[in-house]
Amino acid sequence: MSGKDSRSGAAPRHGFSRTVFHRDAEVPRSPCAAMKDPRAGAGATVPGAGRWTDRLKVIPAATAEDFAACARALCPHDWLADGAYQAVVLAIDAEADTAGWLVGAYRGIAPAPAHRLSDSSAEAVTLWLSGIEDSDFFRRLLSRTVFHLYDSPLVWSGCGYEGVAGRGEGVQCRGIDDLDWLPDPQQA
Amino acid sequence: MPRFGLNEDRVVVVIGSGAGGGTVAHDLCVRGIDVVLLEAGPRIAPADFVQDENAAYAMLAWQDPQEARGGWRIARDLPGNPTWICRAVGGTTIHWTGTALRFQAHEFRCRSTYGEVAGSDLIDWPITYDDIAPYYDRAERVMGVSGKNGMPHHPTNNHYKVLHAGARKAGYRQISPGSLAINSKEHDGRPASWQDGFTLQGDRSRAKWSTAYVEIPRALETGHLDLRPGCCAVQIEHAPGGDVCAVVYADENGVRQRQRCAIVVVAGNAVQTPRLLLASASARFPGGLANGSGYVGRCYMRHTTGSTWSIFDKPVRMCRGEMMPGLVADEARHGPERGFLGGYYIELLSLSLPAIAAAVEPGWWGRDFAWFVERHGNMAGLFLHGEDMPQWQNSVTLHEDRVDRNDVPIPVVSYTEHANDLAMQAHGYAAMKAIHKAAGAVCSHDTPPWPASHNMGTARMSADPAQGVVDGWGRAHEVGNLFIADGSIFTTSACANPTLTITALAMRQAEEIVRQIRG
C-alpha cells in the first residue's frame, strides 16, 4: 500500500527501506515555528543577495552547483527553495578537509559536461546517484548533506520540529499536552 | 580543592567520573578517604550545555578513534563509531535520558533460569537481588526516581497519549509514565524538569540526576577529592607482587604523569575499561592486567535494541515533554513461549529531527526518506530495550596497529547478534508496530540499533575466577587492590537500562573499599 504526494515518482526504493504502511491516507506535513539555540550558531544559512558560488572557498563553482543538485536529490523536499540546498553546500565547503576530498573524488566520477548534474532533471540526478550508492563519495556526501540540511531551523520549521521554540529557561514547555485526537490516559 | 602529590601512595585513584566512578569517588570522600579522580574529558558547567543535537554531540561525545567489526549493522554503517558515550566530568550521566529500572531477581541468575544457551557464555552473577536491594533503595532516593519515594510521575505529554492509547488497544496492561531519575518536582536542591525535550544534550536545569552536578561537587566540598579533568589514563602499573601501585596518565597538556596509589577503581565505561587493562599487560600479566582468565574485553554486551518511528495523520510534537516518559513492561518477563529467552521493555522515546534524519535508517535517501523525515511533527517513537546474550567472541580488543594520540592501541569493538537477540528484536519490532498501528499510525519504520550508549560485560563478575574478571564486589580476582565500577562488571545485561544498577553496585563497592582500607 503506498501513500500519496511526494512518495510517488520515479525514485527507486534503494533496497532496504523498512517502512510498513498500515493504511492509505493523505498525510500533510505539520509546519511550525522553529528556533535554534543561539549558543549553537545559526546552522546552514541560506545565502543572501549575489551569486552564492562567490562565497565558496574550496569547492569550484560548477562542482558546487552539481553538489547542490545532488543534495536536493538526496533529500528532496519540494517545498524547500534552492537556497536551502545551496546553504548545505556552503556548509560543506566550510569543512575544508571533507570538501577537498569530495571535490577530488567527484572529479573521477562526474558525468560528462553535456550531462552536467546541475543542468539535469531531478530524475536524472537521482538515477546517477543510484548508480554510485556503494561509493565512499556517495556515503560521505549523503552524511554531510543530512547533517547540514537538518541542522537548519528553516528546514525544521517545514518538517514540524520546534527546536527551542515555545521553550524557555525555568518555564514548562508550551503545549506539552495539547494533543486532542487521542484520549487522556486513565491513571490506574 | 586539595592537590595530592604524585607520590602520595595512600590515595585511591578513580578513573572515570560517570555513574560508577563519580559515585565511588563521592562515597569514599564523604567517609574521609582521599581520592584522585582522573577524567579524560573537560568539566562543563550545565549553563554551557547547548539545546541543539549536533552542537551537543560535538561538545559531549567520546569521539576518539575506535573500530567496529562483526556482523552487526554498525560495522557496515558506522565502522568508526560503535559507541555513543560522553567524554566529560560526569561521564555518560550527562547525556543519559534518565530511565532508572531495577533488574528483576531472576536476571541475576540467568544460567540457572534459562539453562545452557548454545553459543552463549552464560553464567549466574555471584550476587543476588537481595544483596543489591538496599542499594537500589538508596540509589533511587539519591537520584530522585519518579513514581517512588514521593517523587511524582512526570506529566502526561502528547507522546505518552499515543503510547497509552495504542498499548491499551494492543492488549498491554503494564503501562506507566516511566521511571525517570529526573525531578518532576523540586528535590535535592534541583528544580523540576522544564519538560522541554532537551536532556540528551545535557540538562541545563539539572533536573536530571548526573554525577557531574550532584556527586562531584559534593565530593569536592568534603575536601578529599582531587579532580583532574583532561587527564586520560594510559596504563596501570603494578608492583612485583601483583598489586597495582600507580596510574600513568596523559594530563591536559598531553604530558605523561604518574600518580602512585593504594587502590585503583576503573570506571571508564565498558570499552575504555578493558582497553586500559589490556594495554597494561606486563610480564606478570601477559594477557592484560588482571586477565589470567582471558575474560577482559570478552562477552561484550550492548542490550538488544531497536526503535520504531511512526507517522500519524495529525501532529504529535513528540519532543514536548521529557524524552522517555512512558514504559510498557508486559514483555520484560521471562516467557520462552514467545520464542526467546529473557525479556524486553518497550520505552517511549522522542528524538529531534537532526537525530531522526541521521539515525532512522543509515544510508536511506530519496523521496521516501524525505517524505518520512519531513513529517517529524507527526511522528512518534518507541524503543525496545532487552537482554542480549553474552558471547565470548563479542569483544573489545586492541587494534593490531592503529594507536591514538597517546600511543595506546585503539579499541576494536566486535559484535554479532545471537539468534536469541534477533528473535527478541523481531518480536519487539512487531509489538511496537502493533502499538502504533492501534493508536492510528499511517506507517511505521523499524530503525536498526544505533551506536551503543549501554556497554557491558567486558570485565564481568563471576564466582569462579576462571570465568570472569572480578568478584561480587567488583574487585579483580587476581589483583586485590583493583576494582571496576562501571557496566563492564555486568555478568549479564538484563532488560533494564544499566545506570541504576551501576550506581547501586558502586555504592555497595565503596563500602567494601572502605572496609578494605580501614581493615
Side-chain angles (χ1 to χ4, degrees):
Chain A
M1 215 186 265
S2 63
K4 304 270 171 35
D5 74 355
S6 63
R7 280 194 64 256
S8 62
R13 284 229 168 223
H14 313 303
F16 48 73
S17 176
R18 304 196 289 181
T19 313
V20 168
F21 275 76
H22 306 301
R23 59 192 177 93
D24 210 1
E26 286 291 341
V27 183
R29 290 179 295 122
S30 299
C32 62
M35 199 164 91
K36 202 167 166 68
D37 185 334
R39 300 176 194 95
T45 311
V46 172
R51 265 201 323 236
W52 73 277
T53 51
D54 288 347
R55 294 159 209 266
L56 294 162
K57 304 224 165 21
V58 173
I59 306 173
T63 302
E65 303 263 22
D66 289 351
F67 283 0
C70 287
R72 185 183 278 281
L74 290 170
C75 307
H77 301 284
D78 296 337
W79 46 272
L80 261 184
D82 288 344
Y85 296 101
Q86 293 161 1
V88 167
V89 179
L90 287 169
I92 293 174
D93 185 70
E95 299 172 341
D97 288 346
T98 298
W101 187 90
L102 287 168
V103 168
Y106 184 63
R107 230 176 259 128
I109 57 172
H115 303 284
R116 273 196 67 201
L117 294 177
S118 55
D119 293 334
S120 301
S121 69
E123 285 74 20
V125 177
T126 301
L127 197 60
W128 181 81
L129 286 166
S130 303
I132 58 155
E133 264 186 285
D134 288 333
S135 67
D136 282 343
F137 170 82
F138 178 93
R139 270 192 282 273
R140 286 182 81 165
L141 184 64
L142 174 63
S143 167
R144 299 326 290 156
T145 296
V146 166
F147 181 95
H148 288 295
L149 188 66
Y150 302 105
D151 196 44
S152 152
L154 177 75
V155 176
W156 293 358
S157 177
C159 295
Y161 172 62
E162 298 174 313
V164 299
R167 289 139 171 94
E169 308 263 294
V171 298
Q172 179 159 292
C173 169
R174 236 177 22 218
I176 81 166
D177 190 23
D178 67 356
L179 187 156
D180 61 3
W181 48 272
L182 284 169
D184 271 324
Q186 287 131 29
Q187 303 294 347
Chain B
M1 178 173 81
R3 177 73 196 201
F4 301 121
L6 293 171
N7 287 321
E8 290 270 25
D9 59 2
R10 60 184 179 72
V11 301
V12 175
V13 171
V14 178
I15 300 169
S17 62
T23 297
V24 170
H26 166 274
D27 285 13
L28 295 178
C29 288
V30 298
R31 291 172 173 88
I33 289 166
D34 290 335
V35 173
V36 171
L37 178 52
L38 302 175
E39 167 53 55
R43 193 164 187 207
I44 305 171
D48 292 332
F49 294 148
V50 182
Q51 294 181 327
D52 184 271
E53 196 71 66
N54 294 330
Y57 186 89
M59 174 187 283
L60 300 173
W62 185 286
Q63 297 189 69
D64 290 355
Q66 305 178 78
E67 189 173 296
R69 296 178 190 167
W72 57 336
R73 264 192 73 166
I74 296 284
R76 184 189 90 200
D77 295 335
L78 291 158
N81 209 15
T83 64
W84 187 11
I85 63 173
C86 293
R87 191 174 183 279
V89 172
T92 307
T93 66
I94 291 191
H95 92 193
W96 80 304
T97 44
T99 295
L101 295 167
R102 300 187 178 203
F103 277 32
Q104 301 162 83
H106 71 270
E107 290 177 312
F108 288 99
R109 38 185 174 77
C110 292
R111 177 68 176 82
S112 301
T113 306
Y114 306 158
E116 189 175 327
V117 177
S120 171
D121 194 331
L122 193 59
I123 59 172
D124 290 343
W125 289 64
I127 60 171
T128 67
Y129 180 88
D130 290 342
D131 292 325
I132 193 178
Y135 302 93
Y136 274 146
D137 289 341
R138 195 201 306 171
E140 285 168 350
R141 280 176 208 283
V142 166
M143 295 159 80
V145 175
S146 61
K148 301 188 173 202
N149 303 314
M151 177 68 69
H153 280 301
H154 281 263
T156 290
N157 68 347
N158 296 341
H159 205 195
Y160 184 61
K161 291 181 182 176
V162 173
L163 168 67
H164 193 275
R168 289 287 304 183
K169 205 159 157 202
Y172 288 108
R173 289 295 170 266
Q174 296 178 47
I175 309 162
S176 74
S179 195
L180 301 178
I182 303 176
N183 287 350
S184 55
K185 67 172 189 185
E186 165 147 5
H187 158 75
D188 201 27
R190 294 176 289 111
S193 167
W194 299 335
Q195 302 294 337
D196 59 14
F198 289 105
T199 192
L200 184 60
Q201 297 75 14
D203 187 343
R204 291 181 57 80
S205 74
R206 298 168 308 119
K208 176 179 73 181
W209 174 85
S210 167
T211 57
Y213 41 77
V214 179
E215 277 70 16
I216 301 220
R218 288 195 179 136
L220 287 168
E221 280 161 27
T222 66
H224 289 288
L225 181 65
D226 177 352
L227 173 66
R228 300 183 192 170
C231 291
C232 186
V234 299
Q235 191 171 23
I236 302 172
E237 295 182 346
H238 65 81
D243 276 4
V244 293
C245 61
V247 176
V248 178
Y249 63 94
D251 71 12
E252 57 273 23
N253 299 310
V255 176
R256 294 274 168 132
Q257 307 287 354
R258 184 173 174 275
Q259 174 68 52
R260 295 177 66 192
C261 53
I263 288 175
V264 174
V265 181
V266 192
N269 204 299
V271 172
Q272 299 301 326
T273 285
R275 177 188 180 217
L276 181 61
L277 297 178
L278 294 171
S280 300
S282 63
R284 185 190 171 95
F285 298 106
L289 180 63
N291 194 24
S293 69
Y295 273 88
V296 171
R298 295 284 159 182
C299 296
Y300 168 68
M301 296 173 289
R302 62 187 308 281
H303 285 124
T304 295
T305 67
S307 53
T308 294
W309 305 93
S310 300
I311 306 291
F312 294 76
D313 56 8
K314 297 198 179 72
V316 177
R317 311 284 183 216
M318 63 174 169
C319 293
R320 294 181 184 169
E322 272 301 330
M323 286 181 69
M324 300 193 76
L327 184 71
V328 174
D330 301 61
E331 305 284 8
R333 63 193 176 86
H334 172 51
E337 75 285 352
R338 296 174 294 178
F340 54 89
L341 305 162
Y344 64 92
Y345 288 100
I346 297 170
E347 301 176 348
L348 194 60
L349 175 68
S350 65
L351 281 181
S352 69
L353 175 61
I356 289 288
V360 67
E361 181 81 42
W364 197 12
W365 64 281
R367 292 233 154 250
D368 294 352
F369 169 72
W371 182 91
F372 196 87
V373 301
E374 71 187 14
R375 281 155 181 78
H376 185 277
N378 291 21
M379 193 182 290
L382 290 171
F383 183 61
L384 95 94
H385 190 280
E387 183 168 35
D388 60 333
M389 282 294 145
Q391 299 179 74
W392 169 263
Q393 66 274 19
N394 287 349
S395 61
V396 175
T397 52
L398 298 181
H399 200 281
E400 302 80 12
D401 36 58
R402 288 178 64 193
V403 296
D404 69 1
R405 75 187 95 140
N406 295 322
D407 260 329
V408 179
I410 76 166
V412 175
V413 182
S414 299
Y415 189 86
T416 301
E417 293 90 347
H418 189 278
N420 196 76
D421 306 336
L422 294 173
M424 180 190 290
Q425 190 188 55
H427 193 276
Y429 279 135
M432 293 188 293
K433 282 199 287 290
I435 289 172
H436 276 169
K437 180 179 178 183
V442 174
C443 65
S444 300
H445 187 95
D446 292 335
T447 287
W450 49 69
S453 286
H454 303 166
N455 302 282
M456 299 156 289
T458 48
R460 71 183 189 176
M461 280 192 181
S462 63
D464 178 354
Q467 291 190 302
V469 178
V470 302
D471 67 14
W473 301 106
R475 177 198 288 114
H477 287 301
E478 295 190 300
V479 181
N481 64 344
L482 175 67
F483 291 81
I484 300 175
D486 57 28
S488 310
I489 63 178
F490 281 28
T491 308
T492 55
S493 67
C495 60
N497 304 54
T499 304
L500 182 70
T501 300
I502 291 172
T503 304
L505 288 172
M507 290 172 166
R508 183 170 175 271
Q509 180 184 88
E511 291 181 352
E512 176 65 6
I513 293 174
V514 172
R515 280 190 290 269
Q516 181 162 316
I517 290 174
R518 302 222 155 120

